[in-house]
Amino acid sequence: LEYETFEDLLGYCRLSANPIGRIVLAVAGSSAEQNFTDSDAVCSALQVLEHCQDVGEDARAGRVYLPQQELELAGVPRTDLTASDTSPALRAVILNLIDRAEEMLRPGRGLIAALSGWARLAVAGYVAGGETTAEALRRSGGEVLSQSVRSSKRVTVARTARLVLLPAGR
C-alpha cells in the first residue's frame, strides 16, 4: 500500500478519516456545507499526523503512507523507513507533512465556534489532539523511529478547554 503524491494520500483520507467527522456532524444535527469542509480538513490532518507518528510500524506492515514522490525527491530509500533512527532526509519529509497538517487544522477553530454542546467539545478535543500532536512531532525534530512521539494528555485537555471557550459563531 503506497501513495504516489500528497493528493493521493488525501484521497485515502477522504475515504477513511473524513467520513468519521461527517458522521459526528450529522449526529450533532449540523448540515452547513462549511462545517463539512472544515471537518474534512481536520480529519485529513489528523490522519496525516498519525501516519507521521507511525512511519516505522506502517512500513514494517507493508504500508507506506508518506507520499512516494516526496520520499524520492528527498532521496529517502525504503530502508530508511524501518531504520532504528530517522534519517535527516526522512525527518525533512515528516516535518514538511507536519507543516501541511497544521495548516489543515486551522479551519477547526471556525468549526468549533460554529458548534455547540457535546459536538463543540468533541471537535475541540480532536483539534486540540491534532495541534498538540503536531507540536510533539515538531519538538522531536521528526525523529519518529527511535521513539514513540505522542502528545501529553494534560496539555491536550488544557488545549481542548481553551478551544471550547472560543467565541461562538463564525
Side-chain angles (χ1 to χ4, degrees):
L1 181 63
E2 295 180 0
Y3 297 91
E4 184 62 27
T5 66
F6 187 70
E7 189 53 43
D8 293 338
L9 177 58
L10 292 181
Y12 167 77
C13 294
R14 279 189 279 282
L15 299 175
S16 62
N18 298 4
I20 304 303
R22 287 177 173 254
I23 289 169
V24 169
L25 292 176
V27 170
S30 175
S31 60
E33 190 57 39
Q34 186 61 51
N35 289 354
F36 288 125
T37 300
D38 293 347
S39 173
D40 289 349
V42 168
C43 290
S44 290
L46 295 173
Q47 186 93 56
V48 168
L49 290 168
E50 181 179 347
H51 295 321
C52 289
Q53 289 175 299
D54 297 339
V55 170
E57 174 186 337
D58 288 338
R60 285 187 292 280
R63 300 181 305 263
V64 179
Y65 293 100
L66 306 185
Q68 293 302 304
Q69 191 176 67
E70 295 178 32
L71 292 171
E72 289 169 16
L73 282 172
V76 177
R78 190 162 191 95
T79 54
D80 278 12
L81 303 177
T82 55
S84 58
D85 293 308
T86 312
S87 70
L90 180 53
R91 285 178 185 225
V93 171
I94 290 168
L95 291 170
N96 182 274
L97 290 171
I98 295 165
D99 288 343
R100 291 196 218 160
E102 285 177 319
E103 189 66 32
M104 293 163 52
L105 283 170
R106 284 196 176 88
R109 290 175 179 251
L111 178 58
I112 294 164
L115 298 172
S116 62
W118 68 266
R120 183 180 178 99
L121 178 61
V123 172
Y126 299 143
V127 172
E131 289 177 355
T132 58
T133 297
E135 290 166 3
L137 284 163
R138 191 169 305 290
R139 273 193 313 277
S140 80
E143 175 54 68
V144 296
L145 296 177
S146 69
Q147 63 185 350
S148 176
V149 180
R150 301 289 181 244
S151 58
S152 156
K153 286 185 173 105
R154 183 185 56 76
V155 172
T156 302
V157 168
R159 174 80 52 92
T160 299
R162 284 196 305 277
L163 290 173
V164 166
L165 296 174
L166 289 172
R170 285 204 185 257

